[in-house]
Amino acid sequence: LAENGSKGPDQEKGLQAPAPPPLGAPSPFKRVLDLLELQALTRSVERLAKRQDAAPFLQPVDPVADQCPEYHTLIERAMDLGTVKARLALGTYRDAPAACADVMLTFA
């Protein structure tokens, strides 16, 4: 009903506004927001990768070439900026927090 109590033109035609999604259901707008967040994160990862001190974090550690044979014994889940950037490009991450977690893991 309109503010004055009368029916609006859509209500007169029998049209109703769609019901909101149930609580906990993903918003139809969240997907767009996530895309924008992931694009911003991609730019941030690219900026991190361009830093002069980023070289050790750009690609996965090679335990043989990097002379650290125990690396995978000591590091349970390895991560690097190159892998994060590739996963962002492939759309692997379900949301921005998952990508942020991998960026933080890179430096943990």
Side-chain angles (χ1 to χ4, degrees):
L1 295 176
E3 285 182 26
N4 63 6
S6 65
K7 290 184 176 184
D10 288 342
Q11 289 176 325
E12 288 176 4
K13 294 177 186 173
L15 300 175
Q16 294 181 348
L23 289 177
S27 163
F29 303 107
K30 185 162 178 41
R31 187 172 213 166
V32 172
L33 180 63
D34 288 344
L35 176 62
L36 295 174
E37 287 175 334
L38 290 172
Q39 288 173 342
L41 187 56
T42 298
R43 289 189 301 271
S44 296
V45 169
E46 289 171 349
R47 281 189 297 241
L48 280 171
K50 289 179 183 178
R51 288 181 50 98
Q52 187 174 4
D53 53 355
F57 306 102
L58 296 179
Q59 57 193 14
V61 171
D62 179 341
V64 175
D66 295 331
Q67 299 177 357
C68 50
E70 301 93 19
Y71 181 77
H72 290 292
T73 304
L74 299 171
I75 305 299
E76 190 173 309
R77 185 169 174 256
M79 188 52 58
D80 63 276
L81 295 175
T83 299
V84 173
K85 189 174 175 183
R87 288 179 176 179
L88 285 166
L90 292 171
T92 303
Y93 293 109
R94 69 185 178 280
D95 53 25
C100 287
D102 274 356
V103 171
M104 292 188 293
L105 181 60
T106 299
F107 303 105

